[in-house]
Amino acid sequence: MERKKQYYTAITTRLLLAFFCLSVLPIVCFAWIMKDSVEETNIIKLKELATSTTEHRAEVISLFLQDKINLLVTLVSLYPQDFFFDPHNVERLFLSINHQGDFVDLQVIDVSGKQHAYVGPYRSKIAGKMYQDVPWFTETLISGVHVSDLFTGYRDTPHFVVAVTDPLKSYVLRATINSSMFNALLHSAQLGPQGDAFIVNRHGALQTPSLQGKTELSETERRLISSDSPSTSLITSTDIYTARWIAKGQWLLCLRANILDSLGYYLRLRDRILLTVIVISLLSMAAATMISLALSRTIERADKEYAALSLQFVQVEKMATIGRLAAGIAHEINNPLQMIGSQAEWIGEILPDEDANLVKNMGEYTKAVEQIKHHVKRAGAITHRLLGFSRKLASQKEKVNVNDLITETVSFVEHEAGHCGITIAETLAANLPLIMTDGPQLQQVFLNLLNNAMDAAGHGGRVEICTRFRGNSELVVEFADNGPGVKPEYIKQIFDPFFTTKDPGKGTGLGLYISYDIIRKLGGAITVENKKSGGALFTVSLPVSSYGEQG
């Protein structure tokens, strides 16, 4: 008896082990693979972002330096030597070229190293100084153009200069670059709160302040300097480094992105995966235990009745059928889920043939099938709509119903608005006239204004869109939000290029400028004001009489 008990206990244990291997173990393996895949994907995307950011900043900085060099070269070619030797001329020239504050000072030095003119804040410190033995001065006379490293010099403050000489090399025109303006070019390159961006020379000396306040390079960062490749990248356990040589190989732009800064979404996803795996594993083990015990008791009972029951072969056949069914189900579960739509249609067709008295929950099955088909159709409709929008690339004028265009535009953001709890209210005037305009470009303007309004309204906010016909020749579209509004001092600048009120890295300052330009080219106008009740109101006016017709 004891041996039989041990035998059936062993069967139960083996069944539990089999169920674990067939159900729980694949789930755990899948979760582990997903964990590594998500982390690896995050690192790849972060590296791509760091590389593209480095390339972009390197191009911006190179263009900035080249622009200053070209400006000095142009000045040298425009004016004779006597002009630059007159301090009053140099002062007027400095004021005319420095309206953006890119230069700190401007200086003219003859070939002997004697200063003839100077405009800037360090006049007293460099008065009477001779430059014939200064490295940057000698280098300029030799090569004609020179961009120095960061140095202190006679000014007793760190700075770097751009200098050029005339074709006869009889004098040098030298300008000190505004370090604050130059360093600001790197601020937008920071990726995450622990990220860093800076410029060093070939000796490892910092040419711009580190965003993290470091004063010396790490060993990994020094390895970047030793590379002869135009661009380099390194990945450590905590950081991703990307670097690119700029200024004709004189400086190295370095960017460091901290991997943990970008893992917030990954960590939340990992926790959800672990929680899901734990719940599924517990449910699977509970089901496996019950099934294993039930099967073990069935086998035990079948063995006890083996000698007396004539239906033992029927029982064996039943068990074999259950085994084949279980194998078939296991095989089908592992099939790809690519045929959801067609399978739902198929199930919907065969369900009416079943006997409703024999099939329990027939109504629930029918409802579930309809829900599957509904959401499959909904996903297909959304995909079709997005594809249709993406194909609208050709610029052409056609008859446009503005109300329909607004309704379609709102559909692009309604999911995001619902997620953020933002209410979008549409008050669209009936019987608006059709207008002859460029529909895709006009939709781009509407989408931009709608996104800006949602950003201003914030979570739980409200956005109102209104259309109306003004006079006999104008169609008006208004976008209003209940956000903080636009500061009065920003009203006149709101449509200027690169002007933005958003935090650094969240806006380019081009959206409203592009919208303004599109509306202007379409013959309309766009304005902004603050509502008395709070929030901003953007008004788009479009011509009707000269371009469209009553519709």
Side-chain angles (χ1 to χ4, degrees):
M1 180 64 68
E2 186 65 27
R3 292 182 62 182
K4 287 186 177 181
K5 185 176 181 180
Q6 292 178 354
Y7 170 73
Y8 293 116
T9 301
I11 291 179
T12 304
T13 302
R14 291 169 187 168
L15 288 172
L16 283 173
L17 182 61
F19 277 115
F20 176 81
C21 293
L22 291 174
S23 59
V24 178
L25 190 60
I27 296 174
V28 173
C29 293
F30 172 76
W32 185 262
I33 294 173
M34 281 292 297
K35 167 185 172 298
D36 291 342
S37 298
V38 171
E39 185 174 3
E40 182 179 352
T41 301
N42 176 79
I43 293 175
I44 292 174
K45 289 185 176 180
L46 183 59
K47 180 182 177 182
E48 292 175 350
L49 177 60
T51 301
S52 63
T53 302
T54 303
E55 294 288 339
H56 178 263
R57 288 293 92 187
E59 182 179 355
V60 170
I61 293 172
S62 298
L63 290 175
F64 177 85
L65 292 174
Q66 190 60 47
D67 177 65
K68 306 313 167 191
I69 293 173
N70 292 341
L71 178 59
L72 296 185
V73 170
T74 301
L75 294 177
V76 169
S77 64
L78 287 176
Y79 300 101
Q81 175 180 331
D82 294 342
F83 177 87
F84 289 104
F85 281 17
D86 186 338
H88 296 291
N89 291 338
V90 175
E91 183 172 355
R92 289 196 301 269
L93 189 63
F94 178 74
L95 293 175
S96 66
I97 67 173
N98 197 38
H99 56 277
Q100 293 183 346
D102 294 339
F103 298 112
V104 176
D105 57 22
L106 190 65
Q107 189 176 18
V108 179
I109 305 169
D110 66 18
V111 70
S112 66
K114 180 182 177 181
Q115 175 181 282
H116 284 266
Y118 175 81
V119 183
Y122 302 103
R123 189 185 304 273
S124 60
K125 290 187 177 183
I126 65 172
K129 301 296 184 180
M130 295 296 293
Y131 292 86
Q132 68 273 17
D133 297 326
V134 177
W136 68 260
F137 180 75
T138 305
E139 177 64 26
T140 304
L141 290 176
I142 294 174
S143 61
V145 176
H146 179 65
V147 178
S148 74
D149 282 340
L150 194 70
F151 70 104
T152 302
Y154 295 135
R155 290 160 174 73
D156 295 327
T157 184
H159 64 282
F160 74 92
V161 301
V162 175
V164 300
T165 184
D166 66 315
L168 299 178
K169 298 187 177 181
S170 57
Y171 66 94
V172 170
L173 180 62
R174 166 200 186 277
T176 302
I177 300 299
N178 187 332
S179 297
S180 298
M181 297 286 291
F182 185 76
N183 296 342
L185 299 177
L186 288 179
H187 289 172
S188 62
Q190 185 176 17
L191 301 179
Q194 300 184 65
D196 202 356
F198 52 87
I199 295 176
V200 297
N201 61 15
R202 286 191 171 273
H203 302 292
L206 287 168
Q207 303 300 297
T208 61
S210 163
L211 299 180
Q212 296 296 334
K214 66 167 59 179
T215 57
E216 294 184 359
L217 302 184
S218 64
E219 186 63 31
T220 303
E221 291 164 345
R222 292 189 178 277
R223 287 168 55 192
L224 297 173
I225 301 177
S226 62
S227 174
D228 294 329
S229 175
S231 58
T232 312
S233 61
L234 293 173
I235 300 179
T236 67
S237 58
T238 58
D239 299 293
I240 294 178
Y241 295 86
T242 57
R244 182 173 178 82
W245 289 102
I246 58 176
K248 298 181 179 180
Q250 180 178 344
W251 293 337
L252 184 68
L253 170 61
C254 300
L255 187 145
R256 176 175 65 83
N258 186 269
I259 296 176
L260 290 178
D261 283 347
S262 63
L263 286 182
Y265 172 77
Y266 158 72
L267 294 176
R268 293 192 296 272
L269 179 61
R270 182 199 62 184
D271 294 341
R272 288 197 293 267
I273 290 175
L274 290 177
L275 179 61
T276 303
V277 169
I278 292 173
V279 172
I280 293 177
S281 299
L282 291 175
L283 293 176
S284 299
M285 289 303 298
T289 300
M290 290 187 294
I291 294 174
S292 298
L293 290 175
L295 289 175
S296 178
R297 285 194 293 268
T298 300
I299 295 174
E300 183 178 4
R301 186 168 57 253
D303 287 345
K304 289 180 179 179
E305 297 174 353
Y306 179 78
L309 299 176
S310 60
L311 299 178
Q312 56 181 336
F313 293 107
V314 176
Q315 182 67 19
V316 172
E317 184 62 24
K318 288 181 179 180
M319 294 303 296
T321 301
I322 292 175
R324 289 193 297 269
L325 179 61
I329 293 174
H331 175 72
E332 290 300 322
I333 289 175
N334 288 319
N335 285 338
L337 299 177
Q338 301 175 352
M339 302 297 293
I340 293 178
S342 60
Q343 292 300 314
E345 292 287 346
W346 176 73
I347 293 174
E349 292 177 359
I350 66 172
L351 273 179
D353 298 335
E354 299 294 331
D355 190 341
N357 296 324
L358 297 178
V359 180
K360 295 182 179 180
N361 303 319
M362 174 66 76
E364 293 296 326
Y365 296 153
T366 304
K367 182 179 178 181
V369 169
E370 291 302 320
Q371 285 291 321
I372 293 173
K373 291 192 292 183
H374 169 73
H375 287 290
V376 168
K377 290 180 180 179
R378 182 185 177 193
I382 294 173
T383 303
H384 176 74
R385 186 171 58 200
L386 292 176
L387 289 175
F389 175 70
S390 66
R391 293 192 186 103
K392 296 178 181 178
L393 300 176
S395 178
Q396 57 183 1
K397 289 190 175 182
E398 57 186 355
K399 293 180 180 179
V400 174
N401 186 313
V402 173
N403 284 348
D404 292 344
L405 203 63
I406 289 175
T407 301
E408 183 181 21
T409 305
V410 171
S411 69
F412 296 150
V413 299
E414 59 185 0
H415 178 75
E416 179 184 355
H419 180 73
C420 297
I422 298 175
T423 301
I424 301 177
E426 301 176 48
T427 306
L428 308 180
N431 299 322
L432 282 180
L434 300 179
I435 61 174
M436 187 67 69
T437 187
D438 189 331
Q441 289 202 52
L442 188 59
Q443 189 172 58
Q444 179 183 346
V445 174
F446 291 165
L447 185 60
N448 185 44
L449 294 178
L450 183 56
N451 283 327
N452 285 350
M454 290 172 58
D455 288 341
H459 189 82
R462 178 180 177 86
V463 177
E464 298 179 356
I465 305 174
C466 172
T467 61
R468 53 190 172 87
F469 192 48
R470 183 165 60 190
N472 296 320
S473 61
E474 275 192 326
L475 191 152
V476 177
V477 183
E478 296 178 340
F479 291 82
D481 62 72
N482 63 345
V486 182
K487 294 183 179 179
E489 60 268 25
Y490 293 159
I491 293 290
K492 294 183 179 180
Q493 302 172 266
I494 198 71
F495 296 111
D496 291 346
F498 304 109
F499 177 81
T500 178
T501 58
K502 297 180 180 180
D503 295 334
K506 294 185 177 180
T508 62
L510 290 176
L512 288 177
Y513 169 73
I514 292 174
S515 299
Y516 177 86
D517 187 60
I518 290 174
I519 295 299
R520 181 180 60 83
K521 290 179 179 178
L522 295 177
I526 180 171
T527 60
V528 60
E529 60 181 312
N530 287 319
K531 301 186 299 181
K532 294 182 179 179
S533 59
L537 173 64
F538 284 83
T539 303
V540 177
S541 303
L542 299 168
V544 175
S545 59
S546 59
Y547 293 98
E549 59 184 35
Q550 296 291 334

